[in-house]
Amino acid sequence: MKLGTLRGPGRDGTLIVVHEDGQAYTPAGATWPTLQAALDDWERAEPALRKLSEALKQGTVQAQPLDVSKLHAPLPRAYEWVDGSAYINHIVLVRKARGAEPPETLRTDPLVYQGGSGVLLGPTDDIPLRDEQWGLDFEAEVCAILGDTPMGTTALEAERHIRLLCLANDVTLRNLIPNELAKGFGFFCSKPATAFSPFAITPDELGDVFKDGRIHLRLRSTYNGELAGDPEAGPEMHFSFFDLIAHLTKTRSYTAGTILGSGTVSNADRARGVSCLAERRMIETLDDGKPTTPFMRVGDTIAIEMLDAAGRSLFGRIEQKVVKA
């Protein structure tokens, strides 16, 4: 099942059920006007929405053509946006880029931070940038949207709490990070609003490529019209979504509508390219002694999507342009 959120009325938009080809939709209806409403009542909402999805597929319900530019993020605002960093290669490279050592618990204890969730960007929203000196970067990620998830959830229990999956561009201001982290209190100004894919899909839509808490497909990033990278999202995700959920719930519970990010998808194989510019710049530094790729500037574009074996865009395409704020 594929879901999306049309803009308006109100800030939380209107929940829609989307055809599997991403070209048409039907409204979810008054009972579940928003995705958050559906997540809050998932036991009743899921089967009803699946019936609509099947009717849309069979052509027995009225369908409307879908204009992706009219979509907000699946959750225009979320109760929590918690981002992990599950790819070891990414952690090592970006730590080197800012002259920091990886933590001693790199492979045993997940890294997470809590980002802003009150303002989330839609898939075609511009990325506003006030100062190019701040070092704007994209970060291509996969995400899970959770239902109510109690404290003490184990990795073996975690799968039952994943309601939907989507993609994200976790926008980062790289040059603001070192001074923030030096204060010993984590990211804040260096993490502006995150953008999300047009569609959130139920895990069963992925079939056997969603296994062991990982999505075993390539995540494709196209920067200024050229392929930046298409790394495998599965094999090198050191901490799975199940592991991340177990870590998050060590000391507290999470409410339905929490979004959990994987962190920047990254492979050790350089042939797979990169999912952020910080990695490219670090590779240039290792090879040539200094980075040559600039961070994003006004006018630059980034597109992020994930294709299945048949070449279909599962979550739709994040496609953004940097504009002067």
Side-chain angles (χ1 to χ4, degrees):
M1 178 169 62
K2 185 172 292 190
L3 303 176
T5 295
L6 280 175
R7 295 183 185 275
R11 64 175 62 191
D12 295 314
T14 300
L15 178 62
I16 59 173
V17 179
V18 181
H19 193 278
E20 60 185 356
D21 65 8
Q23 301 298 309
Y25 75 93
T26 190
T31 305
W32 297 286
T34 66
L35 179 54
Q36 185 61 53
L39 291 166
D40 286 339
D41 193 16
W42 194 248
E43 287 189 5
R44 289 199 311 131
E46 182 187 17
L49 294 173
R50 285 190 181 276
K51 284 184 179 179
L52 267 181
S53 179
E54 184 61 26
L56 189 60
K57 182 178 179 179
Q58 299 298 326
T60 57
V61 67
Q62 185 175 2
Q64 302 180 48
L66 180 61
D67 179 355
V68 172
S69 70
K70 305 297 184 185
L71 294 182
H72 212 312
L75 283 169
R77 53 179 173 167
Y79 281 107
E80 298 197 57
W81 158 231
V82 181
D83 196 18
S85 192
Y87 295 87
I88 300 297
N89 188 63
H90 174 75
I91 298 171
V92 170
L93 284 176
V94 297
R95 289 291 180 106
K96 283 183 178 179
R98 63 175 187 258
E101 290 296 321
E104 293 182 2
T105 56
L106 177 66
R107 297 181 180 274
T108 59
D109 198 25
L111 290 169
V112 297
Y113 83 91
Q114 189 159 350
S117 59
V119 176
L120 302 177
L121 300 180
T124 62
D125 284 345
D126 291 334
I127 303 172
L129 178 61
R130 291 183 58 199
D131 189 340
E132 290 186 353
Q133 298 305 308
W134 290 345
L136 177 67
D137 200 357
F138 65 90
E139 292 193 66
E141 305 190 12
V142 293
C143 302
I145 299 175
L146 307 182
D148 289 321
T149 307
M151 182 170 61
T153 297
T154 67
L156 292 176
E157 299 166 335
E159 185 170 13
R160 74 182 70 167
H161 301 293
I162 296 177
R163 300 290 182 251
L164 300 161
L165 299 164
C166 62
L167 306 180
N169 177 16
D170 178 37
V171 182
T172 301
L173 298 169
R174 296 288 183 191
N175 293 339
L176 299 186
I177 288 177
N179 287 342
E180 284 202 313
L181 294 187
K183 299 175 185 179
F185 220 49
F187 301 124
F188 196 80
C189 291
S190 54
K191 289 291 187 177
T194 303
F196 290 88
S197 55
F199 313 128
I201 66 176
T202 48
D204 60 283
E205 287 289 314
L206 293 169
D208 61 6
V209 299
F210 183 65
K211 57 185 176 183
D212 58 40
R214 301 168 174 89
I215 302 176
H216 291 265
L217 289 170
R218 291 182 182 177
L219 182 60
R220 185 180 185 88
S221 297
T222 303
Y223 180 50
N224 289 333
E226 296 184 358
L227 180 67
D230 61 348
E232 298 282 353
E236 293 182 52
M237 187 180 184
H238 184 74
F239 298 105
S240 72
F241 279 119
F242 302 161
D243 297 325
L244 292 174
I245 289 169
H247 177 74
L248 296 186
T249 60
K250 180 178 180 179
T251 59
R252 56 178 164 138
S253 301
Y254 292 83
T255 190
T258 295
I259 307 174
L260 172 61
S262 66
T264 305
V265 176
S266 181
N267 291 171
D269 181 3
R270 290 191 184 183
R272 295 273 57 83
V274 299
S275 297
C276 70
L277 296 179
E279 285 193 18
R280 179 183 287 178
R281 287 167 56 88
M282 190 62 237
I283 291 169
E284 291 167 347
T285 300
L286 292 173
D287 289 349
D288 306 319
K290 64 179 181 180
T292 55
T293 298
F295 285 117
M296 300 182 80
R297 297 167 173 164
V298 171
D300 286 349
T301 61
I302 179 63
I304 298 167
E305 64 184 332
M306 179 173 275
L307 307 180
D308 66 10
R312 294 173 296 191
S313 186
L314 292 166
F315 303 94
R317 183 178 172 98
I318 298 172
E319 195 158 9
Q320 298 181 276
K321 182 177 182 179
V322 181
V323 299
K324 181 68 176 176

